[in-house]
Amino acid sequence: MTDVVSPVSLTAVDAPGQPTPSPELEQLYRGFERELLVPLWTEISGLMPVHPQSKAAPHVWRWQNLLELADRAGQLVPVGRGGERRAIALANPALGGRPYATPTLWAAIQYLMPCEDAPEHRHTQNAFRFVVEGEGVWTVVGRDPVPMRRGDFLPQGGWIWHAHHNAADRPMAWIDGLDIPFQYATETQFFEFGRDAISEEERVSPDRSRAQRLWGHPGLRPVSVPGPQPSSPLLNYRWADTDAALTDQLDLEDEGFPGTVEPGHAAVRYTNPTTGGDVLATIRAEMHRVRSGTETAPRREAGSSVFQVFDGTGTVTVGDSSWRVERGDMFVVPSWQPLSIRSEASASDSDSGALDLFRFSDTPILAALGLDRVAVDGG
Ligand code: GTQ
Ligand code: FE2
């Protein structure tokens, strides 16, 4: 028989809201410990803070460093059955060394060498890929080869078979987002290995996925497919469409028509065409464009986000941290920490000179439970 050790040690303290210390009170607290009981009055500020106090820290990861280490892993670490993916996770410095960008979200850089395959598997974790540079990889999702190119967003709902295949003669990197920490906390994960190799006909590299041909026409859905689906059946959202939507939003603003989040700040959200809601059941994904010279109003949201700079340069402030960021850099915004973005013009920027930011968050989980909240300073 092992003794159960009480995880908390209670000490009577003379403080506002606390009972007056006395030998009897100490006796009571030893009784609580013996019976594995914890009173609310000693714990309330930690358990029920007036607003979220995230354990996660704001942090930035530099794309050049991620890429260099991923490339070195490409030389040293094979991809195959068991390890499954050459994916390297962003570990938030305040989350105890766990491979978690935030308490709910996994973010990783994934890397495939020329002609390499990552084997097929499926899992309950919802996932997506986002491509900041390069092309040449096809992800085979449920046997549909889906091209991955700069600016493309590729959602992949839980329990769908997937494998990746680099058809090019160059390595390719991209980022993955998954709800791994959330499913770890809720203990809801299932995983299954698929085929060790994809078939020759899945190795073809069509310009458009079958999903895109069926679902990729704005405002139109195939009549044959009934009902709402929990995650998007459209497997790739192409940069050309996202870019056009943002450009139109800012042009409309110039013409005096509303549509931007705030002056000089356009944003679009990737949606599930069967519901009009979030693209994945647990992950929200958006693209933001901040005009050069614009600074966004500090904004707090319940729940956490991860960003990747897609284009341009700027300065990002999250709580007490502030960083100058450029293409590929990734950063974390913990729950309820204020975020503000300043876009800078720079000679190396693309035509618009704007700062484009890809963002993903755990908002759909919160929204389903009525826990989503936003506060805009000065708003
Ligand atoms: O590409 O299938 O970053 O299963 C983590 C888990 C990527 C993937 C990750 C995965 C994948
Ligand atoms: Fe996977």
Side-chain angles (χ1 to χ4, degrees), residues 84-85 87-88 106-110 118-119 121 123 127 129 156 162 164 174 176-178 180 191:
E84 299 298 294
R85 299 292 185 261
I88 307 157
W106 164 281
I109 179 171
Q110 187 169 160
H121 67 207
H123 38 72
R129 333 267 158 227
Q156 175 216 293
H162 55 285
H164 315 311
W174 64 90
D176 301 311
L178 288 90
I180 291 174
F191 182 97

XYZ file of all heavy atoms in Angstrom, residues 84-85 87-88 106-110 118-119 121 123 127 129 156 162 164 174 176-178 180 191, ligand 1:
215
model
N 7.005 9.152 -38.620
C 5.936 9.666 -39.468
C 6.237 10.956 -40.230
O 5.968 11.060 -41.408
C 4.627 9.845 -38.668
C 4.055 8.581 -38.070
C 3.658 7.546 -39.109
O 2.732 7.768 -39.891
O 4.318 6.495 -39.137
N 6.741 11.974 -39.537
C 6.902 13.280 -40.182
C 8.191 13.955 -39.714
O 8.530 13.879 -38.531
C 5.734 14.211 -39.790
C 4.361 13.732 -40.189
C 4.180 13.742 -41.688
N 2.821 13.399 -42.100
C 2.433 12.195 -42.520
N 3.299 11.191 -42.558
N 1.184 11.979 -42.907
N 8.674 16.902 -38.727
C 7.996 18.110 -38.242
C 8.649 18.525 -36.936
O 8.904 17.682 -36.078
C 6.511 17.844 -38.046
N 8.938 19.808 -36.806
C 9.657 20.317 -35.637
C 8.785 21.389 -34.999
O 8.488 22.412 -35.618
C 11.026 20.882 -36.061
C 11.809 19.829 -36.877
C 11.823 21.331 -34.854
C 12.864 20.414 -37.792
N -0.661 23.259 -31.538
C 0.635 22.797 -32.042
C 0.952 23.601 -33.293
O 0.072 23.804 -34.150
C 0.533 21.323 -32.370
C 1.582 20.688 -33.234
C 1.677 20.755 -34.596
C 2.641 19.815 -32.806
N 2.736 19.986 -35.037
C 3.338 19.395 -33.966
C 3.060 19.344 -31.555
C 4.432 18.541 -33.910
C 4.150 18.492 -31.506
C 4.835 18.093 -32.670
N 2.195 24.067 -33.400
C 2.659 24.727 -34.622
C 4.038 24.161 -34.930
O 4.874 24.041 -34.031
C 2.739 26.236 -34.426
N 4.269 23.789 -36.178
C 5.543 23.149 -36.515
C 5.972 23.560 -37.905
O 5.149 23.931 -38.747
C 5.410 21.627 -36.448
N 7.289 23.485 -38.130
C 7.802 23.551 -39.492
C 8.001 22.109 -39.938
O 8.499 21.277 -39.183
C 9.113 24.373 -39.582
C 9.631 24.399 -41.033
C 10.194 23.866 -38.637
C 10.804 25.359 -41.263
N 7.544 21.808 -41.149
C 7.732 20.460 -41.693
C 8.581 20.570 -42.950
O 8.489 21.558 -43.691
C 6.398 19.782 -41.989
C 6.597 18.324 -42.393
C 5.340 17.468 -42.458
O 5.340 16.430 -43.101
N 4.281 17.878 -41.783
N 6.237 11.175 -47.072
C 5.876 10.958 -45.671
C 4.694 9.989 -45.689
O 3.734 10.204 -46.424
C 5.502 12.279 -45.009
N 4.764 8.899 -44.906
C 3.791 7.811 -45.048
C 2.368 8.205 -44.629
O 2.171 9.166 -43.890
C 4.346 6.720 -44.136
C 5.189 7.430 -43.139
C 5.762 8.620 -43.851
N -1.189 8.211 -42.819
C -1.789 7.917 -41.514
C -3.027 8.783 -41.338
O -3.332 9.624 -42.194
C -0.771 8.120 -40.376
C -0.320 9.538 -40.144
N 0.904 9.873 -39.602
C -0.936 10.740 -40.374
C 1.007 11.178 -39.497
N -0.093 11.736 -39.960
N -5.547 10.606 -37.929
C -5.652 10.862 -36.492
C -6.839 11.774 -36.250
O -7.308 12.457 -37.168
C -4.357 11.476 -35.945
C -3.690 12.464 -36.864
N -4.212 13.707 -37.101
C -2.567 12.365 -37.626
C -3.424 14.353 -37.954
N -2.420 13.554 -38.311
N -6.000 19.351 -38.514
C -4.702 19.860 -38.965
C -4.877 20.806 -40.140
O -5.927 20.849 -40.784
C -3.803 18.691 -39.375
N -2.059 22.845 -43.302
C -0.730 23.256 -43.764
C -0.867 24.678 -44.285
O -1.911 25.027 -44.858
C -0.213 22.409 -44.930
C -0.762 21.017 -44.974
C 0.098 20.007 -44.286
N -0.700 18.849 -43.918
C -0.666 18.266 -42.730
N 0.110 18.728 -41.780
N -1.405 17.216 -42.460
N -7.252 20.107 -43.115
C -7.385 18.663 -43.187
C -8.019 18.214 -41.876
O -7.381 18.176 -40.830
C -6.007 18.072 -43.416
C -5.917 16.588 -43.411
C -4.619 16.202 -42.786
O -3.543 16.451 -43.334
N -4.675 15.634 -41.595
N -3.935 10.853 -44.790
C -3.073 11.799 -45.497
C -1.622 11.338 -45.521
O -1.140 10.704 -44.584
C -3.175 13.206 -44.897
C -2.886 13.246 -43.426
N -3.776 12.808 -42.477
C -1.800 13.700 -42.737
C -3.249 12.967 -41.269
N -2.046 13.501 -41.397
N 2.308 12.841 -47.551
C 2.890 13.951 -48.304
C 3.956 13.419 -49.241
O 4.652 12.457 -48.921
C 3.506 14.999 -47.372
C 2.664 15.367 -46.205
N 1.335 15.713 -46.311
C 2.956 15.430 -44.877
C 0.861 15.980 -45.104
N 1.818 15.812 -44.217
N 7.085 23.898 -44.979
C 5.804 24.579 -44.777
C 5.502 24.536 -43.284
O 6.275 23.953 -42.519
C 4.695 23.920 -45.591
C 4.363 22.517 -45.209
C 3.437 22.117 -44.272
C 4.946 21.317 -45.729
N 3.432 20.745 -44.197
C 4.332 20.229 -45.074
C 5.934 21.045 -46.679
C 4.664 18.898 -45.333
C 6.264 19.720 -46.939
C 5.633 18.667 -46.280
N 2.724 23.488 -40.176
C 1.556 22.724 -39.777
C 0.948 23.360 -38.543
O 1.673 23.822 -37.657
C 1.942 21.298 -39.337
C 2.646 20.503 -40.411
O 2.137 20.471 -41.543
O 3.696 19.893 -40.105
N -0.370 23.358 -38.463
C -1.069 23.704 -37.227
C -1.997 22.559 -36.883
O -2.678 22.035 -37.770
N -1.999 22.142 -35.633
C -2.892 21.061 -35.189
C -3.407 21.370 -33.787
O -2.823 22.186 -33.063
C -2.171 19.701 -35.146
C -1.810 19.017 -36.467
C -0.425 19.436 -36.930
C -1.878 17.489 -36.369
N -3.210 19.375 -31.288
C -2.598 18.302 -30.481
C -2.682 18.589 -28.968
O -3.137 17.726 -28.214
C -1.127 18.055 -30.916
C -1.098 17.421 -32.317
C -0.388 17.182 -29.907
C 0.309 17.267 -32.907
N -5.321 7.297 -33.403
C -4.321 7.368 -34.472
C -4.285 6.025 -35.179
O -4.415 4.985 -34.548
C -2.946 7.676 -33.863
C -1.834 7.819 -34.867
C -1.433 9.075 -35.308
C -1.191 6.689 -35.382
C -0.408 9.207 -36.235
C -0.169 6.815 -36.314
C 0.221 8.078 -36.741
O 1.830 16.172 -41.536
O 0.568 14.570 -40.845
O 3.291 18.723 -37.625
O 0.478 14.104 -38.247
C 2.233 16.862 -36.658
C 1.511 15.678 -36.820
C 2.302 17.125 -39.029
C 1.293 15.538 -40.615
C 2.621 17.568 -37.762
C 1.185 15.227 -38.101
C 1.595 15.960 -39.217
